[in-house]
Amino acid sequence: MVELKGKKLLVLGGMRISCEIIRKAQEMGIHVAVTDYNDPKDSPGKQIADESYMVSTTDVDAVVDLINRGHMDGVLVGFNDLLLPYYADICEKAGLPCYGTRKLFELFTDKEQYKQLCRQYGVPTIEEYDASVITDPCERANVQYPVVVKPTASSGARGITICYDDNELDGAYKKASETSVNGEVLIERYLDEKEATVFWIFQDGEYHVAMIGNRHVKHNQEGVIPLPAGYSFPAAVTDRYLSAVVPKARRMFQSVGVKNGMMFMQCKVLDGECLVYDIGYRLTGSLEYKILKATCGYDPMEMMIRFALTGKMAEKKVKEKVNPYLGKYCYNVSRLCAPGKIAEITGCKQMLCYPGVIDVVTAHQPGEVITEKMKGLLAQITVRVLGTSESIEGLYNDIGHVQRKIQILSETGENLSLNGVEGSDLDGVLADIQKTYWE
């Protein structure tokens, strides 16, 4: 096994969720540096890193110079789609391992491009309308509402609007184009259906479905898109996806040269079929790798860190440990916070001692404010609790317990916690974990 202790890893961006990478690397004995343009008081990652720098992550030459001067052994960006092309350029200029290429990152962060690729290989995706519906009255007449309007290149649920008539469509298009990195906009049929997320792990050109979860979104706020209140595993669509879609997806990945890394595919489920509507070729902000570590014995985050430093995801084939059914029922509950100032978050320490809980991760701390501008964005997710259950009945009980125990309170004692996963959300969507799986 390649020794990682004492190696130096540069993490691009010190946002709070990047602390997950920093702490994991430090547990592995790695010296971690963080760079971004933020003052350390505004960069949580810098506050726990072994060293930090005031170099912008988008200044490729300056970061490469930092790597050379600091004798860094690897570089990694975690959860931000917009930084991925810069990460690829930095790795190329510095001669360090990168799990993808700029071309691949641009492909899988552009919704229009990757949906075309999916259609080419028969991977189901949601139908869309041509942008000409904005200017052509004849085309506009063919639009069947509701539709969802989104930037082709953005992140964090920014710039996305569900439209129910022509007037809403015009305003939503303007909002999305202003948010989109490339100015381009996607107009899709809106399906108010159950959702599932497919998590992939890639190693040396082999492509494995790590897990498939039910993504439970909630209409718990007026005027914004529904946000994920949690996930449950494994999903009942797993059987059909493995048999019908996986062979096509593998051919698709091979065609564009995917070799290593991880990916999530968010899908709407229509008549048992998973229709892709969003892709991330990166670590997942929903932290499912913690569940994989607990149930299957491998950790995609550790693998990504190892790749950054050695150019290899793992010493052995991960195929030996992959099991999309996980062997246990699992949950990932998000506690979302309504706009307001957080005074107290109760129950986190107690939940860490609750049977089956893997981790409790806080994205916001007391004293922070969820602003009106954050409404409808993933930034409203304040606490995540990940755990396992021994039965479906236990899963229902555990998810309910998490939501009762963890509460987000304002300075006046008002409960800012938004409604979460309910028992009815779980009915009929879970797979039988007794199945034996092999590829």
Side-chain angles (χ1 to χ4, degrees):
M1 179 178 290
V2 176
E3 179 60 59
L4 301 180
K5 188 174 182 180
K7 287 187 176 290
K8 299 180 72 173
L9 176 70
L10 178 65
V11 175
L12 303 179
M15 63 186 73
R16 192 178 303 281
I17 197 168
S18 293
C19 293
E20 292 293 314
I21 302 173
I22 297 164
R23 282 191 285 263
K24 175 62 69 174
Q26 289 172 333
E27 289 173 11
M28 297 165 69
I30 296 162
H31 181 95
V32 183
V34 170
T35 189
D36 60 30
Y37 57 68
N38 293 315
D39 187 280
K41 67 180 177 62
D42 300 317
S43 181
K46 288 183 176 179
Q47 296 169 22
I48 67 170
D50 299 299
E51 58 183 285
S52 64
Y53 299 90
M54 296 287 292
V55 177
S56 171
T57 54
T58 61
D59 189 338
V60 173
D61 290 335
V63 174
V64 171
D65 181 62
L66 171 61
I67 290 169
N68 292 332
R69 287 187 289 107
H71 304 288
M72 308 292 180
D73 298 296
V75 59
L76 186 60
V77 62
F79 308 91
N80 190 325
D81 286 325
L82 303 182
L83 291 181
L84 290 171
Y86 298 102
Y87 157 65
D89 290 345
I90 289 165
C91 290
E92 182 177 7
K93 286 196 171 187
L96 294 174
C98 182
Y99 69 88
T101 63
R102 169 177 266 273
K103 184 176 180 181
L104 281 174
F105 292 138
E106 289 177 342
L107 168 62
F108 287 115
T109 53
D110 187 305
K111 293 176 174 60
E112 187 171 5
Q113 285 193 55
Y114 65 63
K115 287 187 69 177
Q116 289 177 357
L117 180 68
C118 286
R119 283 193 289 268
Q120 181 181 346
Y121 284 88
V123 176
T125 186
I126 296 176
E127 63 183 290
E128 62 207 54
Y129 292 95
D130 190 270
S132 62
V133 300
I134 298 300
T135 56
D136 188 331
C138 294
E139 291 294 330
R140 177 73 68 99
N142 294 323
V143 175
Q144 294 184 353
Y145 292 99
V147 297
V148 59
V149 182
K150 59 182 74 172
T152 63
S154 185
S155 62
R158 293 175 180 84
I160 301 176
T161 308
I162 300 170
C163 303
Y164 294 89
D165 58 39
D166 284 354
N167 290 333
E168 290 181 347
L169 179 59
D170 290 329
Y173 189 88
K174 183 175 185 296
K175 175 183 174 182
S177 62
E178 291 172 349
T179 307
S180 182
V181 174
N182 58 15
E184 296 180 1
V185 175
L186 193 67
I187 304 170
E188 288 180 336
R189 176 187 177 194
Y190 178 66
L191 299 175
D192 190 12
E193 304 286 346
K194 298 283 188 181
E195 297 198 12
T197 303
V198 183
F199 298 90
W200 291 84
I201 186 75
F202 307 138
Q203 183 183 20
D204 300 329
E206 294 183 356
Y207 317 115
H208 310 288
V209 174
M211 60 202 302
I212 303 179
N214 304 297
R215 185 174 187 260
H216 304 291
V217 299
K218 302 300 290 186
H219 294 270
N220 50 17
Q221 299 178 103
E222 291 293 328
V224 296
I225 64 170
L227 293 175
Y231 295 79
S232 60
F233 304 88
V237 296
T238 302
D239 275 1
R240 180 169 175 177
Y241 191 89
L242 293 176
S243 62
V245 182
V246 166
K248 299 173 183 177
R250 284 177 170 156
R251 288 193 290 272
M252 179 180 76
F253 296 140
Q254 186 177 40
S255 75
V256 294
V258 172
K259 296 293 185 185
N260 293 286
M262 60 184 298
M263 179 179 287
F264 64 87
M265 292 181 169
Q266 288 177 2
C267 309
K268 293 285 187 176
V269 179
L270 185 62
D271 298 327
E273 185 174 54
C274 292
L275 308 179
V276 175
Y277 72 85
D278 195 21
I279 290 178
Y281 183 28
R282 55 171 170 79
L283 284 164
T284 59
S286 42
L287 313 179
E288 271 72 25
Y289 46 84
K290 293 176 181 284
I291 291 176
L292 289 169
K293 176 74 170 181
T295 58
C296 298
Y298 69 96
D299 185 336
M301 176 175 277
E302 289 182 6
M303 295 173 71
M304 297 284 277
I305 292 171
R306 180 176 291 276
F307 187 92
L309 296 168
T310 69
K312 290 185 67 67
M313 293 284 283
E315 295 295 325
K316 296 182 179 180
K317 293 289 187 183
V318 73
K319 177 179 180 179
E320 301 170 6
K321 297 182 177 181
V322 168
N323 176 7
Y325 296 97
L326 303 177
K328 287 188 176 181
Y329 296 100
C330 303
Y331 59 87
N332 179 354
V333 173
S334 299
R335 299 300 279 141
L336 293 105
C337 182
K341 185 174 182 178
I342 300 171
E344 183 182 7
I345 303 174
T346 67
C348 292
K349 289 184 179 179
Q350 295 91 327
M351 283 309 309
L352 280 169
C353 301
Y354 186 74
V357 168
I358 298 167
D359 203 359
V360 178
V361 181
T362 54
H364 298 293
Q365 300 295 329
E368 294 185 35
V369 177
I370 303 298
T371 66
E372 286 292 333
K373 288 185 177 180
M374 295 163 68
K375 189 175 178 181
L377 303 181
L378 296 179
Q380 284 188 267
I381 296 175
T382 300
V383 181
R384 290 187 188 274
V385 181
L386 302 98
T388 65
S389 306
E390 297 299 327
S391 66
I392 290 181
E393 294 76 14
L395 184 68
Y396 279 69
N397 292 334
D398 292 343
I399 289 177
H401 183 77
V402 169
Q403 294 177 141
R404 290 189 298 272
K405 198 70 178 177
I406 293 187
Q407 300 294 327
I408 308 163
L409 305 177
S410 72
E411 292 176 308
T412 61
E414 177 189 3
N415 190 348
L416 297 175
S417 310
L418 296 175
N419 293 336
V421 180
E422 302 171 35
S424 58
D425 295 321
L426 303 177
D427 292 343
V429 299
L430 293 162
D432 178 4
I433 63 170
Q434 304 305 317
K435 293 178 180 294
T436 300
Y437 172 76
W438 66 91
E439 290 191 300

